[in-house]
Amino acid sequence: MLSWAPFLTILLVAGPVLAGLIFTGLPALDVMPSLGRTHPSLAGFIVLFHMPGFVTALRLTLVTGVGAALLSFALAVAFSAEALTRPSWRWLTRLQTPILASPHSAIALGFAFLIAPSGWIVRLLSPWATGWTLPPGDLVTLRDPWGLAMVLGLTLKETPYLVLMIISASAQVPARSLMAAAGALGDPLAVAWIKVVFPSVYRQVRLPMLAVLAFSLSVVDMPLILAPGNPPPLAVLAVRWLTNYDLSMYVPAAAAAMLIMLIVLASGALWWVAEWPVAWLARVWVERGGPNPLLDMILWSAARLAVVLGAAAFAGGTGQALWSVARLWPFPDARPVAFTLATWTGQAQHSLGTIAVTVAVAGAVVGSALVLSLACLEHMQRQRGRLGLGMQALVFAPLLVPQIAFLFGMQVLLVRLHLDGTLIAVAWSHLIFVLPYVLLSLSDPFLALDPRYAASGAALGAGRARVFFALKLPLLIRPIAVAAAVGFAVSFAQYLPTLFAGAGRIATLTTEAVTLSSGGDRRIIGVLAMLQAALPLAAYGLALGAPFLLFRRRGGMRP
Amino acid sequence: MIRRRDFFTGLALSVGVLPVPAWAQSADWEFIEARARGQSVYFNAWGGDPQTNAFLDWIAGETKARHGIDLVHVKLTDTAEAVTRVLAEKAAGRSTGGSVDLVWINGPNFVAMKDQGLLSAPFATDLPNWRYVDKRKPSNLIDFTIPVNGLESPWRIAQVVFVYDEARTPLAGLPKTASAMLDWAEAHRGRLTHPNARNFLGATFLKQALVGLVPDRDILQQAATDATFQTAAAALWSWYDALRPHLWHDGRDFPETGATLLQLFADGEIDTAISFNPAEAANGIANGTLAKSARVHVLDGGTIGNTSFVAIPYDAAHRDGAMVIANLLLAPEVQARAQDPAVLGSFTVLDLAALDPTQRAMFQKVDDRAGMPTNAQLGAPLLEPHPSWMTRITGEWERRTSQ
């Protein structure tokens, strides 16, 4: 009876991605029947390659995308190695939640205000230390030609996500006994963790890592703030052309989207292939034994760099909070010269309706994602299987395929179905991204649930449905609540899907924030950034609190 | 249902377009107003300016109270988004029930929509308030040299100004012509920039320079040809090539939008910033984004001005409601409110001589707000060049500046 679940899930999640890819892929090959173009050609790619600055745009994409993914991964591994082996670092992992909850654009704006030549750091040092009464004109800290600000901004946001994945994966390996054995050999603890625990954790971190890689190569909102714009990275270029009223630009835009997809696939494949030699070298190195002062030093500094970047994210958030209550904050003052709550009260009346829409969409999406995920998992378990590789590839496609490669095509699909501009369309477009995350965070706890509970239930005469609803669900309430919180955060953060599926008509907090940031008033951007972080934080809070409330009367179930 | 309504719409349109006696028009208008009641009109307008958003909020309240129409402001990051959306609907073969009812456009967006057949029937001259519109102001009838012919209805006037800070850089020290700008930028490295030329305001910066540098301005009123562009633009590019290395970030990177440009000015990274809103300084002072000493000035020989319009796409689902709103935007009391610097500070498109004394009085509020220029200071606005100039300038700028 449950066999519909995997099919429905794939249809809802992978269907639009495939359809979208087709409707983006055809224009990339110059096929647009509605415009009378029916002969496939590579004209779009030729325009793309001959565009002034194409090589720079390509280089920016590769440097920022691959650079940010590698740096985030390295920092996340180093930080996890320290945090999981030093009790005094434990509390730092809990501080990550606000960074996880804040959308990319808000993090980028906060970081930009921190490091700009007229930003907070320079303001704190001026004029007493620097002598500057005006921002230094020759200092380029933002939008630098190599995209380093962009790499750091992305790393700031992605590292906590990878740390979360590593920590939750390491909870599922017998880390304690492995570490006890390794510690006996005399390595520093962090190095020992890398040697013995990380290899078994890595397998579960591969998928999130590839998702980070795909995301970094194709992100659109962050480079608008942090990367140079003349030319920008390829993804920005593609969106810029796709929203151009000269419809002939659709062809090179689709070509650019397809090129980004090829880059994502190629770099993902390269990553996968590189695992072999790296694993072989690592094995040789581990078996050789002996002290590793260099690695110890690298880990030590990388973990601290991760902490510094985390602190930068917090400082950026604090800067935005200050802006939200500032009346005037000119350079070089280190803090606003006058405060006001007018921005909050002014924005509140506009935002209430938007918040309601945002929460309603997220609620419907997360509800459906939970039902579908649990149904899939229950079905898999009854079939005594895990998620097959094909199913995994299809469900996680939205995370691994760049958004711009299929969102525009998906819009065509929605227009054909007469669904564009409706709440259903927006919810569907969110579900595509929410479901993989919900399934990802539910599947391990679900499959790890001790099968003896179900066996005892069955022995006591409960049917499979009753075992599911009366035993498994209550036992899983904590991971379900966490998965829901993750789902809410993902839904809240969606910008391009909301814009395209909603035909611009459905405004959520995030589309509102991006639109208003085109107006550049930092005080309003500050208010929206606070609201954008507050909603997912509230969801996380509820997720952590829900088990306490639900199990008031069941002492044994309290976490 | 839908078919019947379309039939009536078509009927009303064919009546509206023909020259009919005034009584018939007014009866027609009542018919339109009656049908508009209860509609939800999706007004696609740039949403980056909180003051404009607040003004449209107020308009929404008025349309609801006066006409029973729900106005939904679809906030755009870029007007091209709405144009693309209508284009996508056309490409998908849709001819009714479109998602854009009314759109705030002008210049290149208007030409793009007109050329692609995205604006079907004229409506502006059928609006009862059309009689108040100042027909002597060329920009109300001709949008970037293209005759409007009733396809869009005016609602506010824009003119290029340069914002500066009187306390930081007194006006006497600032350049008043394009060529003076070059000397000034050499002496003040990194203190000047303009938005990316793909942005409307960025292209306007270059057009403003072109208007000041070209020997014969009249050729700008015709579509640019390879020959005219080459001669006219030669002066522009030799000026710009000399200027660019002295701009902010060595002229290698540019702010994305007018808003980010203004932010750079507010942060003190640059000394002067181009704007299309004569009330920019006054508004910034009033809402606290700019210092009290912020002012605006225009260049010697005048600056480019244009009119902002609203248009109705060919497949709009709620054409009647959109017309009622376009008409409301022209109502004297609404225009007077928009001109109030405390609200928008945007200059009116109406002919004050066509109003009765009480209506006229609403516009004659004494304006003593700091930073607000007088009409005399602004001078007569210069005409926008033909859109083909802008397209060519943008393309050539991109070719020259992309690294």
Side-chain angles (χ1 to χ4, degrees):
Chain A
M1 197 194 96
L2 276 175
S3 54
W4 51 267
F7 290 112
L8 186 63
T9 306
I10 288 172
L11 187 72
L12 282 176
V13 172
V17 177
L18 288 178
L21 277 177
I22 293 169
F23 287 124
T24 315
L26 288 177
L29 294 172
D30 208 10
V31 178
M32 291 181 85
S34 55
L35 291 182
R37 292 168 186 258
T38 47
H39 295 290
S41 82
L42 291 176
F45 287 93
I46 291 167
V47 171
L48 174 66
F49 297 151
H50 285 89
M51 179 207 77
F54 168 74
V55 178
T56 316
L58 181 66
R59 189 203 70 205
L60 260 179
T61 298
L62 290 172
V63 169
T64 58
V66 178
L70 288 179
L71 188 60
S72 312
F73 183 72
L75 294 190
V77 172
F79 178 84
S80 307
E82 292 276 354
L84 288 170
T85 52
R86 260 175 222 269
S88 59
W89 276 50
R90 264 288 147 99
W91 63 280
L92 282 173
T93 60
R94 266 173 242 132
L95 283 181
Q96 299 194 104
T97 318
I99 308 179
L100 287 167
S102 297
H104 283 79
S105 54
I107 292 272
L109 284 166
F111 185 58
F113 173 62
L114 197 65
I115 64 166
S118 56
W120 210 6
I121 293 176
V122 173
R123 285 176 196 227
L124 284 168
L125 300 173
S126 300
W128 61 274
T130 59
W132 293 329
T133 49
L134 282 177
D138 45 2
L139 185 71
V140 179
T141 48
L142 262 187
R143 302 168 67 100
D144 55 291
W146 281 93
L148 297 181
M150 170 75 186
V151 171
L152 287 180
L154 262 172
T155 306
L156 205 103
K157 173 72 183 151
E158 298 302 343
T159 308
Y161 168 67
L162 288 175
V163 168
L164 183 75
M165 291 296 126
I166 293 174
I167 289 182
S168 59
S170 66
Q172 291 164 44
V173 298
R176 193 162 300 188
S177 54
L178 286 171
M179 285 299 291
L185 294 173
D187 273 325
L189 285 177
V191 176
W193 185 88
I194 295 282
K195 279 184 178 173
V196 301
V197 181
F198 183 66
S200 41
V201 166
Y202 173 73
R203 213 172 49 88
Q204 289 182 66
V205 185
R206 182 195 287 136
L207 192 63
M209 171 62 202
L210 291 176
V212 167
L213 183 65
F215 183 85
S216 306
L217 284 165
S218 60
V219 59
V220 171
D221 48 2
M222 267 194 149
L224 283 178
I225 300 155
L226 298 175
N230 200 32
L234 286 175
V236 177
L237 209 57
V239 172
R240 198 185 267 171
W241 286 344
L242 277 161
T243 50
N244 194 312
Y245 40 78
D246 178 3
L247 202 63
S248 64
M249 293 311 284
Y250 203 102
V251 176
M258 285 296 128
L259 178 63
I260 294 168
M261 184 158 118
L262 292 179
I263 292 174
V264 167
L265 290 180
S267 50
L270 205 63
W271 178 269
W272 207 311
V273 170
E275 284 177 7
W276 297 90
V278 170
W280 182 79
L281 283 174
R283 187 171 307 139
V284 170
W285 165 71
V286 168
E287 282 168 2
R288 205 195 58 198
N292 307 96
L294 183 66
L295 180 73
D296 194 28
M297 207 180 74
I298 293 175
L299 280 181
W300 191 91
S301 21
R304 273 145 195 88
L305 180 58
V307 175
V308 169
L309 283 181
F314 268 89
T318 312
Q320 288 183 313
L322 271 179
W323 268 110
S324 77
V325 292
R327 184 164 158 73
L328 188 63
W329 189 358
F331 189 87
D333 291 306
R335 62 180 192 82
V337 287
F339 291 92
T340 175
L341 282 177
T343 321
W344 277 96
T345 49
Q347 211 49 46
Q349 50 192 14
H350 294 286
S351 296
L352 283 179
T354 319
I355 291 175
V357 171
T358 312
V359 173
V361 168
V365 170
V366 171
S368 333
L370 284 177
V371 170
L372 284 170
S373 302
L374 287 169
C376 280
L377 290 167
E378 175 72 7
H379 176 68
M380 296 290 167
Q381 202 169 48
R382 287 185 193 178
Q383 306 295 316
R384 301 184 191 289
R386 293 185 72 90
L387 288 179
L389 200 64
M391 165 103 185
Q392 273 194 28
L394 285 172
V395 172
F396 294 115
L399 306 188
L400 303 177
V401 176
Q403 283 191 7
I404 41 166
F406 68 89
L407 275 180
F408 298 92
M410 182 183 170
Q411 198 188 10
V412 178
L413 178 74
L414 288 171
V415 170
R416 295 224 167 143
L417 294 174
H418 286 273
L419 277 176
D420 59 314
T422 62
L423 275 172
I424 295 177
V426 173
W428 188 6
S429 74
H430 285 201
L431 182 69
I432 292 172
F433 298 96
V434 168
L435 196 130
Y437 281 106
V438 169
L439 189 59
L440 194 65
S441 36
L442 270 184
S443 66
D444 286 322
F446 191 94
L447 297 174
L449 194 66
D450 195 333
R452 283 173 296 186
Y453 285 117
S456 319
L460 290 170
R464 290 204 289 197
R466 193 152 164 238
V467 167
F468 178 77
F469 285 108
L471 278 175
K472 287 188 185 171
L473 278 192
L475 283 167
L476 286 168
I477 195 69
R478 216 178 130 72
I480 289 175
V482 170
V486 170
F488 269 100
V490 172
S491 169
F492 291 151
Q494 295 306 317
Y495 171 63
L496 279 184
T498 315
L499 189 65
F500 284 102
R505 284 184 176 192
I506 314 276
T508 62
L509 213 46
T510 292
T511 59
E512 192 87 345
V514 175
T515 310
L516 277 166
S517 65
S518 77
D521 187 339
R522 284 212 190 100
R523 300 168 307 174
I524 293 177
I525 295 170
V527 169
L528 282 156
M530 295 296 107
L531 289 176
Q532 275 185 291
L535 277 193
L537 270 180
Y540 279 113
L542 277 178
L544 294 178
F548 285 101
L549 288 175
L550 287 171
F551 297 134
R552 278 194 312 275
R553 299 184 185 181
R554 295 197 201 177
M557 292 284 292
R558 265 183 227 150
Chain B
M1 260 322 268
I2 291 172
R3 275 168 192 273
R4 211 172 92 196
R5 211 165 67 189
D6 287 345
F7 170 73
F8 279 121
T9 313
L11 186 70
L13 288 177
S14 57
V15 172
V17 174
L18 296 170
V20 282
W23 62 265
Q25 271 194 0
S26 79
D28 206 34
W29 184 251
E30 278 169 22
F31 189 43
I32 289 173
E33 276 187 326
R35 255 183 340 200
R37 197 161 282 277
Q39 290 185 340
S40 289
V41 175
Y42 291 88
F43 185 5
N44 285 240
W46 180 60
D49 175 28
Q51 273 182 309
T52 307
N53 293 350
F55 180 71
L56 291 183
D57 265 2
W58 176 79
I59 290 284
E62 294 296 301
T63 40
K64 182 76 185 167
R66 296 192 199 183
H67 303 287
I69 297 171
D70 286 308
L71 186 158
V72 186
H73 177 193
V74 177
K75 291 178 185 149
L76 306 174
T77 316
D78 188 326
T79 303
E81 278 170 32
V83 182
T84 323
R85 203 165 287 141
V86 180
L87 209 48
E89 286 166 3
K90 184 160 192 182
R94 195 181 270 183
S95 59
T96 54
S99 63
V100 179
D101 292 319
L102 191 65
V103 56
W104 169 13
I105 55 171
N106 70 331
N109 286 304
F110 169 63
V111 178
M113 291 193 84
K114 195 179 170 192
D115 286 352
Q116 307 262 14
L118 303 180
L119 305 169
S120 56
F123 70 96
T125 47
D126 299 335
L127 303 176
N129 287 336
W130 174 254
R131 61 198 145 128
Y132 301 128
V133 171
D134 189 348
K135 283 104 184 166
R136 285 165 310 175
K137 212 167 246 162
S139 67
N140 282 349
L141 304 173
I142 299 168
D143 192 2
F144 282 58
T145 75
I146 309 294
V148 169
N149 290 339
L151 286 173
E152 49 178 5
S153 167
W155 76 286
R156 64 195 276 192
I157 282 186
Q159 188 175 344
V160 167
V161 292
F162 286 83
V163 189
Y164 67 102
D165 188 328
E166 204 172 42
R168 214 161 68 201
T169 47
L171 184 57
L174 289 171
K176 304 284 283 174
T177 61
S179 28
M181 206 176 266
L182 179 55
D183 300 329
W184 185 89
E186 266 171 355
H188 303 83
R189 218 181 142 77
R191 308 295 302 169
L192 175 74
T193 189
H194 58 83
N196 197 312
R198 274 178 304 274
N199 174 274
F200 189 69
L201 194 60
T204 303
F205 178 88
L206 294 172
K207 277 190 297 180
Q208 176 66 45
L210 179 70
V211 170
L213 292 165
V214 71
D216 173 21
R217 273 182 198 168
D218 288 344
I219 62 159
L220 303 180
Q221 293 302 304
Q222 273 116 49
T225 63
D226 287 345
T228 58
F229 185 74
Q230 210 134 52
T231 29
L236 174 69
W237 297 125
S238 69
W239 170 82
Y240 189 70
D241 289 345
L243 175 76
R244 190 158 77 91
H246 308 294
L247 297 180
W248 178 82
H249 277 202
D250 301 332
R252 280 197 305 224
D253 190 38
F254 299 85
E256 294 289 328
T257 62
T260 22
L261 179 79
L262 202 65
Q263 184 73 62
L264 288 178
F265 169 75
D267 285 341
E269 292 204 29
I270 54 173
D271 286 334
T272 180
I274 190 173
S275 161
F276 236 133
N277 183 0
E280 191 78 85
N283 289 352
I285 294 170
N287 63 35
T289 44
L290 295 181
K292 287 199 171 59
S293 44
R295 296 290 180 272
V296 298
H297 75 99
V298 298
L299 301 183
D300 290 345
T303 52
I304 292 175
N306 67 42
T307 299
S308 285
F309 294 86
V310 291
I312 304 176
Y314 79 103
D315 64 343
H318 310 103
R319 189 180 165 91
D320 305 301
M323 284 177 74
V324 172
I325 291 168
N327 187 54
L328 183 67
L329 287 170
L330 291 174
E333 68 278 13
V334 172
Q335 286 279 314
R337 188 182 162 90
Q339 188 168 316
D340 183 350
V343 179
L344 268 187
S346 74
F347 289 74
T348 184
V349 295
L350 302 188
D351 177 5
L352 296 189
L355 304 179
D356 65 40
T358 31
Q359 290 172 328
R360 207 161 29 240
M362 293 188 290
F363 288 87
Q364 274 148 5
K365 264 193 184 173
V366 184
D367 179 29
D368 54 357
R369 284 208 328 166
M372 200 66 184
T374 62
N375 273 321
Q377 284 168 332
L378 285 175
L382 305 177
L383 291 174
E384 283 276 5
H386 187 275
S388 55
W389 289 89
M390 183 159 165
T391 318
R392 282 177 186 252
I393 286 177
T394 307
E396 179 63 18
W397 178 87
E398 216 159 17
R399 202 183 64 71
R400 285 171 177 258
T401 61
S402 286
Q403 318 277 314

